[in-house]
Amino acid sequence: MIYSFLEHLGNYFIFLRRVFSRPEKWSEFFKKMIDEMYAMGVGSLIIVMIVSTAMGSVITLQTSLQVESSWIPSWTIGFTVRTSVIMELCPTIISLLLVGNLGSRITAEIGSMRVTEQIDALEVMGINPASYLVLPKILASFIVNPALILISIFFALFGGYLTVLATGYISVYDYVDGLTSFFRMYDVWYALTKTVIFGFIITSVAAFYGYKIEGGALELGKANTQGVVVASFFVLILNLLITNIMLN
């Protein structure tokens, strides 16, 4: 099992070496990157908004039910929600959501090109298919994923606002006061740093599993599942490592 893991890891780094090479045509490269940014952003926006709003509502409701002591100021609820949403829930949970949404799409797209021999055709024409197909996706994720996380943070806090407004556990003023109390910009940079790294893992791992397919539709389905599982695993492991590095 260890040998198989090391073999896959070595093949992954060899694949990345091919990906990060100079594009043949910069104009075509930027066009593909813009197209990928649009597909990634628009394709994920609605689900990110819905999940973030629900997540913010739930964490606000749970925090409100737990904080019942008169010794604890009411603004603590907003402060706890903001800290949880920015530092952990949105960067990690939404990234795991994007693994299934973006990652599976990338694996299916590149895998279908491998199965139908379109990648072989690019190689025959003298084009590096790894760089041509994957590099625009990776660079697009560096822009799109942080933007999606910022949007998710806004809607999560807005979901908490709606919950406070509907339940009346605390006043809206206390909730907003908690959101602004002891705010550190470093928390946002910490979240965005994680998001950029997660975006790289999601796109590169998904593309790797699609690129190395050998077979037909059955192997494509297996590669899709493997890509989602492996990318999710590395997102969780890197989340732990980044937290230890940046918050210690």
Side-chain angles (χ1 to χ4, degrees):
M1 184 175 180
I2 295 178
Y3 174 78
S4 178
F5 170 76
L6 293 176
E7 182 182 12
H8 277 76
L9 189 63
N11 290 332
Y12 173 69
F13 283 113
I14 293 173
F15 170 72
L16 289 182
R17 183 180 178 183
R18 295 197 63 191
V19 168
F20 287 97
S21 61
R22 183 184 179 88
E24 281 81 5
K25 293 183 179 180
W26 285 102
S27 59
E28 183 68 20
F29 171 79
F30 284 117
K31 180 179 180 299
K32 285 182 66 64
M33 190 176 74
I34 296 299
D35 291 340
E36 289 296 336
M37 289 173 59
Y38 179 81
M40 290 180 178
V42 175
S44 304
L45 187 59
I46 299 299
I47 187 66
V48 166
M49 291 166 55
I50 294 173
V51 172
S52 299
T53 304
M55 187 167 56
S57 298
V58 169
I59 192 66
T60 302
L61 187 60
Q62 290 180 344
T63 305
S64 300
L65 294 175
Q66 295 298 323
V67 179
E68 296 180 348
S69 174
S70 59
W71 293 92
I72 301 176
S74 298
W75 58 261
T76 304
I77 296 174
F79 172 80
T80 304
V81 171
R82 185 203 72 206
T83 304
S84 302
V85 162
I86 292 178
M87 300 191 69
E88 189 59 34
L89 292 179
C90 282
T92 305
I93 302 301
I94 298 300
S95 293
L96 290 174
L97 175 69
L98 294 176
V99 170
N101 189 31
L102 297 182
S104 60
R105 181 183 67 83
I106 292 172
T107 302
E109 177 185 338
I110 296 181
S112 62
M113 295 184 69
R114 170 65 76 182
V115 170
T116 56
E117 299 181 349
Q118 295 181 55
I119 292 179
D120 297 333
L122 289 174
E123 291 177 341
V124 169
M125 291 187 293
I127 298 174
N128 179 0
S131 176
Y132 180 78
L133 297 174
V134 180
L135 187 58
K137 300 181 189 298
I138 292 178
L139 296 185
S141 72
F142 289 162
I143 300 173
V144 172
N145 280 42
L148 288 175
I149 295 304
L150 290 175
I151 292 172
S152 73
I153 290 173
F154 170 80
F155 276 94
L157 299 179
F158 180 68
Y161 175 85
L162 293 179
T163 301
V164 167
L165 201 62
T167 60
Y169 281 117
I170 60 171
S171 67
V172 173
Y173 173 82
D174 287 334
Y175 176 76
V176 175
D177 186 34
L179 294 183
T180 57
S181 297
F182 307 105
F183 175 76
R184 298 188 309 168
M185 193 62 195
Y186 182 79
D187 295 346
V188 178
W189 292 121
Y190 161 75
L192 294 181
T193 300
K194 291 202 300 183
T195 303
V196 170
I197 296 174
F198 294 164
F200 171 75
I201 292 297
I202 293 169
T203 51
S204 62
V205 170
F208 169 71
Y209 275 93
Y211 192 85
K212 74 179 188 69
I213 286 177
E214 295 179 359
L218 181 61
E219 285 71 19
L220 178 58
K222 291 180 179 178
N224 212 328
T225 302
Q226 290 175 343
V228 170
V229 171
V230 172
S232 299
F233 172 78
F234 278 107
V235 164
L236 294 174
I237 294 299
L238 287 172
N239 182 46
L240 178 62
L241 294 177
I242 296 169
T243 300
N244 280 326
I245 292 171
M246 296 191 68
L247 297 185
N248 281 340

